[in-house]
Amino acid sequence: MFKKILGKFRENLLQNTREEKLSKYLKEIICEYHKDQNIKILDFGSGFQPKIAFYIHSHLKKNNKNVIIHCYDFYKEIDLKNLNKFKEINFKNIDEIKKNSEKYDFVIVSDVLHHIGVEKKNDLIQILKNLKLKSKYILIKDHFEFNLTSRVILIFMDFIGNYYNNVKIPKRYFRESEFSELIQNANLEVVKKISNKE
C-alpha cells in the first residue's frame, strides 16, 4: 500500500516533466548525430514505466523519423505481456540482450549505472564494453555526488522515484572523476558532454 501511495505521490509531484525534458535533450542529440530517416535504439534498463522510451519515440516521430526501440530490463513474463502492446517499442528480458545480434544506432543508459552499483567497477566496465559492440553511440545519463549533502538528496530523490517499483536504492553515486575513469576504462570516447540537465 505504501509503495502505491509513493508512486502516486511521485506522479503528482513530478507530473512527468523530468522525463519529458530529458527525452527532448536526448532527441536533440540523436538528431544531431544521425541524419538518416530510420533510427534503431536500444534502451538498456528502461524500467517498468519506460516513459523516456515513449517520449523519445513520440519526439522523433514528430521529426518524421521511422523509429524502432528495443527496451531491456529485468522483466517477468507478466511485465512483458503488459508492456508488449506497441509495434515500434519492443520489451525484452535483459538476459536476451546477449542472444540479440542486432545493431543499433544508439544505446540509451538513463539513470541505470548507479543502481548496478558504483563500487562494481568491473561489472560496469563489462556492461559498457558489451553495449559498445551494439552501437556506435551510447547516451549515458547519470547523477554525480559532490559531498554528503548531495548524496543524501540523491538518495531521497531515488527513493521517491524508484522505491515503489522495488528498484534497489544506491548508497552512493558517482563522483565526476570516478565516472570519467569508468568511461576511460571501458574504452569509450566522449564526443559530447552536457552537464546540469535533469
Side-chain angles (χ1 to χ4, degrees), residues 126-174:
Q126 194 55 54
I127 286 168
L128 292 177
K129 283 184 174 180
N130 290 340
L131 292 175
K132 183 183 177 184
L133 299 174
K134 296 282 186 188
S135 173
K136 183 177 180 182
Y137 296 106
I138 303 176
L139 307 179
I140 303 173
K141 187 266 181 187
D142 219 295
H143 299 292
F144 294 144
E145 65 172 50
F146 302 97
N147 51 42
L148 183 59
T149 303
S150 64
R151 179 187 297 180
V152 170
I153 291 169
L154 288 170
I155 288 172
F156 175 73
M157 293 307 293
D158 244 331
F159 179 80
I160 295 293
N162 291 300
Y163 181 73
Y164 70 100
N165 275 329
N166 295 319
V167 175
K168 179 184 172 188
I169 307 303
K171 294 179 180 176
R172 60 181 297 260
Y173 296 81
F174 289 102

Side-chain angles (χ1 to χ4, degrees), residues 5-149:
I5 293 170
L6 191 60
K8 286 294 181 186
F9 174 74
R10 179 195 183 276
E11 194 175 308
N12 292 330
L13 179 68
L14 299 179
Q15 297 179 336
N16 300 332
T17 54
R18 179 182 161 277
E19 288 92 348
E20 176 72 18
K21 284 181 182 178
L22 176 59
S23 65
K24 283 182 180 176
Y25 291 129
L26 294 174
K27 183 267 297 183
E28 289 169 10
I29 294 170
I30 289 168
C31 290
E32 179 181 354
Y33 286 91
H34 188 82
K35 303 301 181 186
D36 293 349
Q37 187 176 5
N38 299 320
I39 301 176
K40 197 169 184 180
I41 298 170
L42 188 161
D43 187 346
F44 181 80
S46 44
F48 295 88
Q49 279 84 36
K51 293 174 184 173
I52 297 291
F54 284 106
Y55 282 135
I56 288 174
H57 182 270
S58 175
H59 292 317
L60 289 171
K61 291 294 276 187
K62 287 175 186 174
N63 280 43
N64 298 314
K65 303 288 186 181
N66 299 320
V67 190
I68 294 173
I69 302 179
H70 290 171
C71 297
Y72 289 85
D73 211 319
F74 291 102
Y75 297 123
K76 297 175 183 175
E77 286 301 318
I78 191 167
D79 300 319
L80 294 172
K81 186 176 179 181
N82 291 331
L83 289 167
N84 276 319
K85 298 175 182 175
F86 309 94
K87 184 179 179 184
E88 295 168 330
I89 303 179
N90 191 252
F91 295 86
K92 303 170 186 265
N93 190 283
I94 207 148
D95 295 333
E96 297 285 318
I97 204 165
K98 293 178 183 176
K99 303 172 190 175
N100 179 359
S101 60
E102 294 184 67
K103 297 289 185 181
Y104 298 86
D105 300 303
F106 295 89
V107 171
I108 295 173
V109 184
S110 179
D111 289 334
V112 172
L113 299 181
H114 63 263
H115 287 291
I116 295 169
V118 175
E119 71 285 352
K120 296 181 180 177
K121 295 179 182 179
N122 291 334
D123 292 344
L124 295 173
I125 290 167
Q126 194 55 54
I127 286 168
L128 292 177
K129 283 184 174 180
N130 290 340
L131 292 175
K132 183 183 177 184
L133 299 174
K134 296 282 186 188
S135 173
K136 183 177 180 182
Y137 296 106
I138 303 176
L139 307 179
I140 303 173
K141 187 266 181 187
D142 219 295
H143 299 292
F144 294 144
E145 65 172 50
F146 302 97
N147 51 42
L148 183 59
T149 303

